[in-house]
Amino acid sequence: MTTPARPAPPPPPMRKGQVQAFEAISNYTAKRDCELSFEEGDLLFILDQSDPTWWKASLDNKQGYVPSSHVSSENARFAIIDAARRGNLALVEECLNAGVSVNSLDKAGNSALHAASQAGQIHIVTKLLLQPRIQIDLQNKLGDTPLHCASYRGHAEVVQLLLNHGAKFDIVNNDNYTARKLANKPAVISLLEEGTLQGHRKSSGYDDQEYGVADSEDSD
């Protein structure tokens, strides 16, 4: 494979949230201090693609330029989503630290939070929910939110965590199903029905404390 015979361009500014992960398709040995060496199969975080022949990349916490001819534009990896699904916290953190958007979507419109919620990876869900730009109610191409995914799979701990962080329980997917309609485990159903009841109380102008007072007065 031919390496572009030109000097690397001056460093462009890194654009946070627009970083993509690509798998190297061949080895490359850096010829300049501003370049990166890598091996076939390495996961490269591409920070800038403004130059067609030299891309700015990150690998093992180092930044430098790589020849784009050694990185296929057809093998982009949804690394943060794959890692979230598998429960690989180290890779999720590496992606976030490299600048990959926490709300990156795969071809089905799933985010890392969708993937972790569906797989019941509570430690990954916890990590993702700490990110300031997380969109907790993103809907994939089926209209499902992370809460739909966790509810359908019966992951009560994830459902509770999502609800605690303000996930909307009344969103309907493309089949007009809420998360409650998809739930089939008693523990999950109970959590969602409790959330629905609390939402109804607040929408009626009451809070939980007021309801408690009213209940105690009625019982006297």
Side-chain angles (χ1 to χ4, degrees), residues 11 15 26 42 46-47 50 91 94-96 117 121 129 131 138 145 155 162 174 190 197:
R15 302 176 67 185
S26 60
D42 279 348
I46 306 302
L47 311 178
S50 57
L91 183 52
E94 184 181 355
C95 290
L96 293 172
S117 298
Q121 303 289 3
L129 290 174
Q131 304 308 305
L138 273 176
T145 66
H155 300 307
L162 292 170
N174 296 354
S190 177
L197 179 59

Side-chain angles (χ1 to χ4, degrees), residues 163 169 189-201:
L163 291 173
F169 50 81
I189 292 172
S190 177
L191 288 170
L192 293 169
E193 288 184 344
E194 181 181 350
T196 301
L197 179 59
Q198 290 176 351
H200 174 71
R201 288 173 177 175

Side-chain angles (χ1 to χ4, degrees), residues 8 10 46 52 62 101 103 112 118 136 140 158-159 179 207:
I46 306 302
K62 297 179 181 179
S101 171
N103 300 310
Q118 185 175 42
I136 194 171
N140 62 20
V158 175
V159 169
D207 60 25

Side-chain angles (χ1 to χ4, degrees), residues 32-151:
R32 305 175 183 84
D33 291 340
C34 62
E35 297 176 3
L36 284 179
S37 296
F38 53 85
E39 298 180 356
E40 179 180 354
D42 279 348
L43 186 65
L44 299 169
F45 294 103
I46 306 302
L47 311 178
D48 188 88
Q49 301 179 49
S50 57
D51 186 279
T53 52
W54 287 94
W55 290 351
K56 187 177 183 182
S58 173
L59 174 66
D60 296 333
N61 295 319
K62 297 179 181 179
Q63 293 186 13
Y65 290 92
V66 299
S68 60
S69 57
H70 289 244
V71 182
S72 172
S73 60
E74 298 179 355
N75 68 340
R77 293 264 306 275
F78 302 106
I80 190 171
I81 299 173
D82 293 340
R85 183 176 292 108
R86 298 196 308 270
N88 188 338
L89 181 59
L91 183 52
V92 168
E93 292 178 334
E94 184 181 355
C95 290
L96 293 172
N97 292 337
V100 175
S101 171
V102 69
N103 300 310
S104 298
L105 303 178
D106 64 15
K107 294 178 181 179
N110 292 306
S111 66
L113 189 58
H114 280 95
S117 298
Q118 185 175 42
Q121 303 289 3
I122 188 71
H123 62 301
I124 303 295
V125 174
T126 300
K127 176 67 178 182
L128 295 173
L129 290 174
L130 293 175
Q131 304 308 305
R133 296 183 180 276
I134 186 72
Q135 294 184 35
I136 194 171
D137 294 316
L138 273 176
Q139 292 179 265
N140 62 20
K141 290 186 178 180
L142 296 177
D144 291 331
T145 66
L147 185 61
H148 280 92
C149 297
S151 300

